[in-house]
Amino acid sequence: MVSQSAETIGAGAFDQLDPPDPELYLDCIHCGFCLPTCPTYLVLGNEMDSPRGRLYLIRTASEGKIGASDSFVKHMDLCLLCRACETACPSGVKFGFLMEAARGQIARRYQYPPAERRFRDFILHTFTDLGRLRTLTSLLRLYQRLGLQRLIRASGLLSFFGRLGQMEALLPEIAAPCLGELPEVTPAKGQRRGRVGLLLGCVQRFFFAHVNAATVRVLSENGYEVVVPRNQECCGSLLVHEGERERGKLLARRTIECFELANVDVIAVNAAGCGSVMKEYWELFQADPDYAKRAEAFSRKVRDVSELLAGLPLCGKLQPLNLTVTYHDAGHLVHGQKIRQEPRRLLNTIPGLRLVELRESDFCCGSAGIYNLLHPDVAQQLLDRKVERIRETGADVVLSGNPGCSLQIEKGLRERGLQIRVLHPVELLDWSYRGTER
Ligand code: SF4
Ligand code: SF4
């Protein structure tokens, strides 16, 4: 939420450090094809909360016709950066780059009210700093182990804790040991296809460590030697999405250096938000003479795990899984990376598995990085719609290729008392290889 009392930036909304590129916003022909696909437009019903409206605001701000007022910042902040508008756009407008650049200007130049700033800083500093996240996760695990979570959730007290209560409601069961380390190198089975580096991610590493373990097993089964570089940190994607571009670049540089040292052919990612930004590091560094070429080479190597596996015939023997599943398209996978068919192709190779299509499968679930924490009301409306669509399928399992979506959807299913599991597609492949349903 943006307070109306926040200061405005003043005359020119943008300065010359990484401003939105006019060549990109001038591609918009105002046709409006993007409007019906935009979740915030559908929920809020306001042109300025649509892609076309936001592009108009970015353009007029770039031309110095408007300053970055509270209202301008609100419309920028209310964007999910789901990039559904890019898929719909016949002109190929690169909306994601424009919005990230606009937010970069806002993050540097706009004064959020102190409480809002502190909350944003807390979230961004915690979820992008592995040390802090490790400490937080250990404390949260203790909170679960001691039974406090059950008591607090049952008491209804969470509603009195505002945003902290909303964060708690997203918390999945933290499995032990959340800090367990994967081997630095896992050898390839059978005929060797290459050497893959795995990005562990932040949320994925601490809340879904089993997804990383499954990814390693499935890649190894498919002839990949899997390297998990020990010194990898956050890839910076959350910071880039929220406009904290300089801090995002710092982490991106470290990620590039870390995977260069690992000497891998391919970099596998199982978190859509991270993969999307890593594939676009080239854009982040295009004006940096020291990193432009390195970022380009790095981005060329990045593959979502479903993209990597669907590109070749699967090896090994898959056992039947007697499950009905449905698949949610994470925005940063389907719109950001144009990966729609690959996960479905992989799922269809599992014997016995019934894949039921989800209506509006590529409509945002409201997670969108930290959007559900910053704008819980809009996020909840999107989540309710997503959960209703999932319920309609009658599936036992809903699949998602992004940990943020998984947390959000799990929360929505829990709220409705629906016994539907949320998994990553690679987990099902792993189950099938191992002949188990858990
Ligand atoms: S990124 Fe998503 S929320 Fe933002 S304008 Fe595009 S479709 Fe709408
Ligand atoms: S679909 Fe593309 S060109 Fe048309 S209004 Fe939306 S962003 Fe502009």
Side-chain angles (χ1 to χ4, degrees), residues 37-40 49-51 54 78-85 95:
T37 67
C38 172
T40 58
D49 291 314
S50 79
R54 291 182 175 122
L78 277 170
C79 173
L80 295 145
L81 252 176
C82 68
R83 296 169 67 169
C85 46
F95 185 89

Side-chain angles (χ1 to χ4, degrees), residues 137-425:
T137 318
S138 303
L139 292 172
L140 290 172
R141 186 157 175 266
L142 195 63
Y143 161 74
Q144 291 181 333
R145 283 288 156 121
L146 294 174
L148 294 172
Q149 181 177 53
R150 216 170 343 102
L151 285 177
I152 289 192
R153 283 189 174 178
S155 71
L157 283 173
L158 280 180
S159 54
F160 296 105
F161 284 88
R163 284 167 158 182
L164 286 181
Q166 278 144 11
M167 285 173 73
E168 203 283 344
L170 285 165
L171 196 62
E173 190 180 331
I174 302 172
C178 64
L179 311 181
E181 295 225 327
L182 292 165
E184 191 165 2
V185 179
T186 301
K189 287 190 184 169
Q191 198 181 354
R192 196 173 182 277
R193 281 173 163 167
R195 183 173 156 94
V196 177
L198 176 66
L199 181 94
L200 293 176
C202 298
V203 170
Q204 199 80 295
R205 177 191 309 226
F206 291 107
F207 294 149
F208 298 102
H210 49 284
V211 175
N212 282 335
T215 306
V216 170
R217 284 192 293 270
V218 171
L219 288 173
S220 160
E221 190 70 41
N222 280 278
Y224 289 105
E225 180 185 22
V226 187
V227 183
V228 179
R230 282 280 174 264
N231 53 344
Q232 61 177 294
E233 299 181 43
C234 168
C235 68
S237 61
L238 205 53
L239 294 164
V240 174
H241 290 147
E242 291 306 316
E244 301 277 353
R245 286 171 79 81
E246 293 312 308
R247 280 175 48 217
K249 282 182 191 174
L250 187 75
L251 293 174
R253 281 190 196 97
R254 290 186 191 152
T255 304
I256 292 170
E257 288 158 11
C258 169
F259 281 91
E260 280 176 350
L261 284 173
N263 193 27
V264 293
D265 308 312
V266 179
I267 298 158
V269 188
N270 54 24
C274 306
S276 171
V277 167
M278 289 164 69
K279 283 184 177 179
E280 292 171 350
Y281 274 178
W282 64 267
E283 189 269 346
L284 210 53
F285 291 109
Q286 58 188 346
D288 180 334
D290 295 331
Y291 273 83
K293 285 209 159 46
R294 292 167 75 177
E296 260 181 53
F298 177 93
S299 289
R300 270 199 301 274
K301 286 186 180 180
V302 177
R303 300 280 182 286
D304 183 76
V305 64
S306 65
E307 183 184 16
L308 182 59
L309 289 167
L312 293 164
L314 290 180
C315 305
K317 184 159 172 44
L318 292 162
Q319 318 275 338
L321 293 181
N322 182 25
L323 290 170
T324 302
V325 304
T326 193
Y327 178 77
H328 159 70
D329 284 285
H332 279 100
L333 206 50
V334 67
H335 304 303
Q337 301 180 55
K338 312 293 177 220
I339 294 176
R340 189 183 291 269
Q341 292 311 325
E342 292 85 341
R344 291 172 170 81
R345 254 203 325 271
L346 286 175
L347 294 168
N348 281 326
T349 62
I350 299 176
L353 198 78
R354 292 170 298 282
L355 174 61
V356 183
E357 272 303 324
L358 182 65
R359 276 209 291 152
E360 300 180 346
S361 66
D362 61 359
F363 195 80
C364 182
C365 64
S367 165
I370 58 171
Y371 190 96
N372 47 359
L373 303 176
L374 298 175
H375 308 286
D377 296 345
V378 178
Q380 187 67 41
Q381 291 185 59
L382 300 174
L383 176 59
D384 290 343
R385 184 167 170 150
K386 179 62 66 178
V387 169
E388 181 53 26
R389 295 288 174 263
I390 293 169
R391 194 197 56 76
E392 287 167 5
T393 64
D396 312 306
V397 172
V398 55
L399 299 157
S400 138
N402 191 51
C405 304
S406 298
L407 289 176
Q408 173 83 340
I409 292 171
E410 271 182 8
K411 169 183 171 264
L413 295 171
R414 226 176 8 249
E415 284 169 350
R416 293 252 207 129
L418 294 169
Q419 303 295 317
I420 302 173
R421 293 193 66 177
V422 184
L423 299 171
H424 191 289

